[in-house]
Amino acid sequence: MSAASLICDLGREFYRLGWATGTGGGICIREGEAVTIAPSGVQKERMTPEQMFTLSIDGTIISRPADPSLRPSECTTLFMAAIRHRQAGAVIHSHSINAMLATLLFEREFEISDLEMIKGIEGMSYHDRLVVPIIENTARECDLAVSLEAAIVAYPRTQAVLVRRHGVYVWGRDWQQAKTQAECYDYLFRAAVEIRKLEGAVDASLSSRPAESRVRR
Amino acid sequence: MSAASLICDLGREFYRLGWATGTGGGICIREGEAVTIAPSGVQKERMTPEQMFTLSIDGTIISRPADPSLRPSECTTLFMAAIRHRQAGAVIHSHSINAMLATLLFEREFEISDLEMIKGIEGMSYHDRLVVPIIENTARECDLAVSLEAAIVAYPRTQAVLVRRHGVYVWGRDWQQAKTQAECYDYLFRAAVEIRKLEGAVDASLSSRPAESRVRR
Amino acid sequence: MSAASLICDLGREFYRLGWATGTGGGICIREGEAVTIAPSGVQKERMTPEQMFTLSIDGTIISRPADPSLRPSECTTLFMAAIRHRQAGAVIHSHSINAMLATLLFEREFEISDLEMIKGIEGMSYHDRLVVPIIENTARECDLAVSLEAAIVAYPRTQAVLVRRHGVYVWGRDWQQAKTQAECYDYLFRAAVEIRKLEGAVDASLSSRPAESRVRR
Amino acid sequence: MSAASLICDLGREFYRLGWATGTGGGICIREGEAVTIAPSGVQKERMTPEQMFTLSIDGTIISRPADPSLRPSECTTLFMAAIRHRQAGAVIHSHSINAMLATLLFEREFEISDLEMIKGIEGMSYHDRLVVPIIENTARECDLAVSLEAAIVAYPRTQAVLVRRHGVYVWGRDWQQAKTQAECYDYLFRAAVEIRKLEGAVDASLSSRPAESRVRR
């Protein structure tokens, strides 16, 4: 399957998962020096391969869709930051409500440990403390690029950056790893939210499990 | 795709999203002076193009389905209010439980700010205070027309009107924008409900995020 | 579509909705004096028309599947109670977790009013108090028949009977009305559960809406 | 349908249910002495029959996929423990968040009673106390084998073992029973979590139901 077709296929899947509603979210796929990227502001579950752009890593447009009204995704500079700094083969941007709510539970870093799904993240094992930096949202998506790049540099082990009250960027060496990691992070964000709800309701009974196995904050 | 086929397609999608169960909810699409509209009281996920009505903007029936037992949707006068006052190209009525629950959290206006999905609403940016008027429900759907029209006039920037303990009406310049906006509003209603649940459970820890970034009430 | 095919189609849909997992739940459809009914203990999302039974209203088997290991659904006597007492054209049994949780919130009757989806129930309008009797569960499904029948007689306006810690039986004059009503009830059960969660968390702010519009208990 | 095709089909279904995201979860099917098993670390919703391994019950590889980079699932020794000790015809491993959250509510054993879905578990009736042992998670999946095997031996009636902060293993005499039981257990885990949320919020009103029908802890 071509990168263009795959992006359309994944767009439908991410829409169904609630990661790409309201034209939000998206994915880019890199093959060598060419990056295939979706247009801005279109319904992510109804894209066709003919609507895709191909850009070089420096952002130059290599090929573009016939429809002159289309522009490359507003995420382009953000996607390119992960590609340049991490040699990412694919970058996923999700508007999942789990990611957004997780940014309300932590100040500067999302932290969690001792959950099996942590093992789905590159270089992490079960007992490791998984940290995801949270950057503040900006009025325009392109203005996020500076702080996203700074977070990528400051957290050399992270495979994702959360954006407060917005969502998350996740990458990987190829689209399979990017998607797998995006699913693991989304599970972990949701787990943190659900655990918080249960703790609020029933502190006493939850504290009966060993202290060391609790979610750290 | 014809407007009639598109309405059937979107009906299946809205049903899957929980916006149109129990024959509730619906959508109309305007092309010039002709408005395509579904029949009343049918299963929204099993409609066929032959069941659609076409009305002029003043409500006159231009064409009707062969089945004489069908009547135009009870939402018709409500749909027409948004079309006349806002030149809407499409109007969506959703029974999403997120919209219904959101009307229980606010008195006269749903309010939220500082969430990325706000940017999906026409004319709104991230830091803006998004306001959606809430009108009181009535025993008969057609009796909502007066207060819906009043809310549309009183809130010239809104793209939606909530109906207490019922759901929401959302419109847009075309079906794509109406659908995109309906998805963004639904996310925002759900976000408000989920944030309220987390606040109830864990006030102290949530207040550690900057006060100015909290959902305003 | 034949009743046998329709039952298979609806089985897949009810499975997807979480009403018929673990081989639970089910539906029967009556045409005149013949009732088409699924076998007991099969995966409801993988049934085929050849597996269906046809029974007369008194419970006599008119036709049966070739597979001799199949027996008619354990719900049979319960389905027949609604058919005989209410001339139901179809009866749906759902294991929805919304229905089960709703039975934990009320003692003998589920009660709700002032929600739009109430209008989807035969004979009910928006301000009416919708009551659904709750019967106690029994170790064997067939032992429910006596109390289900008693509840149907004692509540002549109800279109459904809840079973404590189990699920719900819903019927209608035909399969369309039975399905529509099952969707409306399921929404109302879920609404009651969600409202309870919000009330527990935030009593003060919720009481700011008019007292008369609150869910009555 | 061959066991290899069925595993691919069920992989898509378990992915959709949230049991097998992030390449987690899985299923094996035994036919006589041959066990068909998926490869490790692949997307469970995109598997093809050509990727499957066949092993004998002692763990010897009978046939393997052409792709030399594939290894058998890390669950293999765990699957084999249930096959050897219980003559299981299929074993399902789920990463469902319901199972994971349920392990946070109980110390050594998940316990529940008086819920209809308990009847979906082999040998259990409605009033029985359903117990599922919880074993502690380990850094490597294969290191779970010893404690899983010990739990299977110590709980001769159980059809499942929960793994703290990880998920659950469920088996059955054939794939149909394994899947049915996995669905029933998942419902019960979710029910326990939801009931806990409601109890935290509204202790007083919940206690109005008979004490003997409450979830025991």
Side-chain angles (χ1 to χ4, degrees):
Chain A
M1 199 186 289
S2 72
S5 294
L6 189 55
I7 286 175
C8 300
D9 185 41
L10 293 170
R12 282 187 289 277
E13 193 161 319
F14 295 165
Y15 176 80
R16 190 187 64 77
L17 292 170
W19 297 4
T21 59
T23 80
I27 181 169
C28 75
I29 295 177
R30 178 177 67 83
E31 296 170 298
E33 300 299 302
V35 181
T36 304
I37 209 160
S40 174
V42 300
Q43 297 179 78
K44 294 299 185 286
E45 76 282 15
R46 290 173 181 257
M47 299 187 298
T48 58
E50 303 78 49
Q51 293 179 308
M52 298 297 129
F53 286 82
T54 312
L55 279 71
S56 66
I57 288 173
D58 65 11
T60 317
I61 292 177
I62 297 172
S63 74
R64 50 163 301 136
D67 179 345
S69 71
L70 297 174
R71 289 166 305 122
S73 165
E74 286 190 51
C75 303
T76 300
T77 53
L78 299 153
F79 285 160
M80 293 302 182
I83 289 172
R84 280 200 314 274
H85 286 278
R86 296 296 177 86
Q87 292 75 52
V91 189
I92 293 169
H93 175 43
S94 158
H95 277 197
S96 165
I97 203 163
N98 299 321
M100 187 283 281
L101 291 172
T103 70
L104 303 183
L105 301 181
F106 296 87
E107 276 207 72
R108 291 176 205 285
E109 298 173 342
F110 172 88
E111 289 184 53
I112 207 162
S113 75
D114 299 286
L115 285 175
E116 176 67 13
M117 292 291 267
I118 292 171
K119 290 162 60 176
I121 308 301
E122 175 80 29
M124 299 298 292
S125 63
Y126 176 67
H127 293 299
D128 285 344
R129 191 173 70 102
L130 178 76
V131 173
V132 184
I134 304 174
I135 62 175
E136 299 304 319
N137 199 26
T138 54
R140 299 200 317 161
E141 193 125 17
C142 54
D143 294 338
L144 280 174
V146 173
S147 53
L148 183 83
E149 204 155 351
I152 290 174
V153 171
Y155 292 80
R157 294 183 64 191
T158 195
Q159 304 285 305
V161 175
L162 281 161
V163 185
R164 180 103 58 208
R165 308 178 80 80
H166 178 160
V168 67
Y169 283 85
V170 184
W171 55 85
R173 84 182 75 90
D174 50 29
W175 73 267
Q176 289 97 333
Q177 194 195 30
K179 175 171 169 293
T180 295
Q181 295 195 145
E183 290 171 355
C184 290
Y185 278 118
D186 199 65
Y187 173 101
L188 295 167
F189 299 147
R190 183 176 168 207
V193 169
E194 290 298 306
I195 289 171
R196 191 64 65 95
K197 281 184 198 164
L198 288 167
E199 285 183 332
V202 286
D203 259 341
S205 49
L206 268 175
S207 64
S208 65
R209 62 197 159 86
E212 71 273 22
S213 73
R214 302 188 68 187
V215 174
R216 293 182 207 139
R217 280 189 291 268
Chain B
M1 198 186 287
S2 71
S5 295
L6 189 55
I7 285 176
C8 300
D9 185 40
L10 293 170
R12 282 186 289 277
E13 193 160 320
F14 295 164
Y15 176 80
R16 190 188 63 78
L17 292 170
W19 297 3
T21 59
T23 79
I27 180 169
C28 75
I29 296 177
R30 179 178 65 83
E31 296 169 297
E33 300 300 301
V35 182
T36 305
I37 208 158
S40 173
V42 299
Q43 297 180 77
K44 293 297 184 286
E45 76 283 14
R46 291 175 180 257
M47 298 186 300
T48 58
E50 303 79 49
Q51 293 178 308
M52 298 297 129
F53 286 82
T54 311
L55 279 71
S56 66
I57 289 174
D58 65 10
T60 316
I61 294 178
I62 297 173
S63 73
R64 52 162 300 136
D67 180 344
S69 70
L70 296 175
R71 289 165 304 122
S73 165
E74 287 189 50
C75 303
T76 299
T77 52
L78 299 153
F79 284 160
M80 293 303 182
I83 289 172
R84 280 199 315 273
H85 286 277
R86 295 299 176 84
Q87 291 75 51
V91 189
I92 293 168
H93 175 45
S94 157
H95 277 197
S96 165
I97 202 164
N98 300 319
M100 187 282 282
L101 291 172
T103 69
L104 303 183
L105 301 180
F106 297 88
E107 276 208 74
R108 292 177 203 287
E109 298 174 343
F110 172 88
E111 288 184 54
I112 207 162
S113 76
D114 300 286
L115 284 175
E116 177 67 12
M117 292 291 268
I118 292 171
K119 290 162 60 177
I121 308 302
E122 176 81 27
M124 299 299 291
S125 63
Y126 175 67
H127 293 298
D128 284 345
R129 190 171 71 101
L130 179 76
V131 173
V132 184
I134 304 174
I135 62 175
E136 299 304 319
N137 199 27
T138 52
R140 298 201 318 162
E141 193 126 15
C142 55
D143 293 339
L144 281 174
V146 173
S147 54
L148 184 84
E149 204 155 351
I152 291 174
V153 172
Y155 291 81
R157 295 182 63 191
T158 195
Q159 304 285 305
V161 175
L162 281 160
V163 185
R164 180 103 58 208
R165 309 177 81 82
H166 177 160
V168 68
Y169 283 84
V170 184
W171 54 86
R173 84 182 73 91
D174 50 30
W175 73 267
Q176 288 97 334
Q177 193 195 31
K179 175 171 168 294
T180 295
Q181 295 195 144
E183 290 171 354
C184 291
Y185 279 117
D186 198 66
Y187 173 101
L188 295 166
F189 299 147
R190 182 176 168 207
V193 169
E194 291 297 307
I195 289 171
R196 191 63 67 94
K197 283 184 197 164
L198 288 167
E199 285 183 331
V202 288
D203 261 341
S205 49
L206 268 175
S207 64
S208 65
R209 64 197 158 86
E212 70 272 21
S213 72
R214 303 187 69 188
V215 174
R216 294 185 206 136
R217 282 191 289 268
Chain C
M1 197 185 290
S2 71
S5 295
L6 189 55
I7 285 175
C8 300
D9 185 41
L10 293 170
R12 283 187 290 277
E13 193 160 320
F14 295 164
Y15 176 80
R16 189 187 64 77
L17 291 170
W19 297 3
T21 60
T23 78
I27 181 170
C28 74
I29 295 178
R30 178 176 66 84
E31 295 169 299
E33 300 299 301
V35 181
T36 304
I37 208 160
S40 173
V42 299
Q43 296 179 78
K44 293 298 185 286
E45 75 283 16
R46 291 173 181 259
M47 298 187 300
T48 57
E50 303 78 50
Q51 294 179 308
M52 298 298 129
F53 286 81
T54 311
L55 280 70
S56 66
I57 290 174
D58 65 10
T60 316
I61 294 178
I62 297 172
S63 73
R64 50 163 301 135
D67 180 345
S69 71
L70 296 175
R71 290 167 303 123
S73 165
E74 287 190 50
C75 304
T76 300
T77 52
L78 298 154
F79 285 160
M80 293 302 182
I83 289 173
R84 279 199 314 272
H85 286 276
R86 296 298 178 84
Q87 292 75 53
V91 189
I92 293 169
H93 175 45
S94 157
H95 278 198
S96 166
I97 203 164
N98 299 321
M100 188 281 282
L101 291 172
T103 69
L104 303 182
L105 302 179
F106 296 87
E107 278 208 72
R108 292 178 203 286
E109 298 174 343
F110 172 89
E111 286 184 56
I112 208 160
S113 75
D114 299 287
L115 284 175
E116 177 66 13
M117 293 290 267
I118 292 171
K119 290 161 60 177
I121 307 302
E122 176 80 26
M124 299 298 291
S125 63
Y126 176 68
H127 294 299
D128 284 344
R129 191 172 71 102
L130 179 75
V131 173
V132 184
I134 304 174
I135 62 175
E136 299 304 319
N137 199 27
T138 53
R140 299 199 318 162
E141 195 126 16
C142 54
D143 294 339
L144 281 173
V146 173
S147 53
L148 183 83
E149 205 154 348
I152 290 175
V153 171
Y155 291 81
R157 293 183 63 192
T158 194
Q159 305 284 305
V161 175
L162 281 161
V163 185
R164 182 102 59 207
R165 308 177 81 82
H166 177 159
V168 69
Y169 283 84
V170 184
W171 55 86
R173 84 182 74 89
D174 50 30
W175 73 267
Q176 289 97 331
Q177 193 196 29
K179 174 171 168 292
T180 295
Q181 295 194 145
E183 290 171 355
C184 291
Y185 279 117
D186 199 65
Y187 173 102
L188 294 167
F189 299 147
R190 183 176 168 207
V193 169
E194 290 298 305
I195 289 171
R196 191 64 65 95
K197 283 183 197 164
L198 288 167
E199 285 182 332
V202 287
D203 259 341
S205 50
L206 268 175
S207 65
S208 66
R209 63 197 158 85
E212 70 273 20
S213 72
R214 303 188 69 187
V215 174
R216 294 183 206 140
R217 281 190 291 268
Chain D
M1 199 186 288
S2 71
S5 294
L6 188 56
I7 286 175
C8 299
D9 186 41
L10 293 170
R12 282 187 289 277
E13 193 161 319
F14 295 165
Y15 176 80
R16 190 186 64 78
L17 292 170
W19 297 3
T21 60
T23 79
I27 181 170
C28 75
I29 295 177
R30 178 176 67 82
E31 296 170 299
E33 300 299 301
V35 182
T36 304
I37 209 160
S40 173
V42 300
Q43 296 179 78
K44 294 298 184 287
E45 77 283 15
R46 290 173 181 260
M47 299 187 299
T48 58
E50 304 78 50
Q51 294 179 308
M52 297 298 128
F53 286 82
T54 311
L55 278 73
S56 65
I57 288 173
D58 65 10
T60 316
I61 292 178
I62 297 172
S63 73
R64 50 163 301 133
D67 180 344
S69 71
L70 296 175
R71 289 166 304 122
S73 166
E74 288 190 50
C75 303
T76 300
T77 52
L78 299 153
F79 285 160
M80 292 301 182
I83 289 172
R84 279 200 314 273
H85 286 277
R86 296 297 177 86
Q87 292 75 52
V91 189
I92 292 168
H93 175 43
S94 157
H95 277 198
S96 165
I97 203 163
N98 300 321
M100 188 281 282
L101 290 172
T103 70
L104 303 182
L105 301 181
F106 296 87
E107 277 207 72
R108 293 177 203 285
E109 299 174 342
F110 173 88
E111 288 183 56
I112 207 161
S113 75
D114 300 287
L115 284 175
E116 176 68 11
M117 292 291 266
I118 292 172
K119 290 161 58 175
I121 308 302
E122 176 80 29
M124 299 297 293
S125 63
Y126 175 68
H127 293 300
D128 285 343
R129 190 173 71 102
L130 179 76
V131 173
V132 184
I134 304 174
I135 62 175
E136 298 305 317
N137 200 27
T138 54
R140 299 199 318 162
E141 194 126 16
C142 54
D143 294 338
L144 280 175
V146 173
S147 53
L148 183 83
E149 204 155 349
I152 291 174
V153 172
Y155 292 80
R157 293 182 64 190
T158 194
Q159 305 284 306
V161 175
L162 280 161
V163 185
R164 181 101 61 206
R165 308 177 80 83
H166 178 158
V168 68
Y169 283 85
V170 183
W171 54 86
R173 85 182 74 91
D174 50 30
W175 74 267
Q176 289 96 332
Q177 193 196 30
K179 174 171 168 293
T180 294
Q181 294 194 145
E183 291 171 355
C184 291
Y185 278 117
D186 199 65
Y187 173 101
L188 294 168
F189 300 147
R190 183 176 168 208
V193 169
E194 289 298 306
I195 289 172
R196 190 64 65 96
K197 282 184 197 164
L198 287 168
E199 286 183 332
V202 287
D203 260 341
S205 50
L206 268 175
S207 65
S208 66
R209 61 197 159 88
E212 70 273 20
S213 72
R214 302 187 69 186
V215 174
R216 294 182 205 140
R217 282 189 290 266

